[in-house]
Amino acid sequence: MAGSSHGHTPAAWTGVIIAFIGFCVAGVFMVANNPVGFWAGSALILLGGVVGGAMKVAGMGTPKEPEAVVEARARAAARESASA
């Protein structure tokens, strides 16, 4: 996992930041006993997921590996397990 860039993309950072702000808003309004504010914060949490997903589709997420790379990795793993 250390060699991957999992989560280190503009899409991931933006989605998490929006969701975190929504979590904070919902928490404050839950303590303040304000249902409208709580649901607004909950909507922000969902919006973070939607924005992150849209940014990933727009190309700002982790790029997919080419098919040749996936096949080469599978062959290398098969050779490694056969020699062990």
Side-chain angles (χ1 to χ4, degrees), residues 14-30 36-49:
T14 304
V16 168
I17 289 170
I18 292 171
F20 179 72
I21 291 169
F23 178 78
C24 292
V25 168
V28 166
F29 282 110
M30 183 172 60
V36 174
F38 169 77
W39 288 111
S42 297
L44 276 175
I45 294 170
L46 294 175
L47 180 68

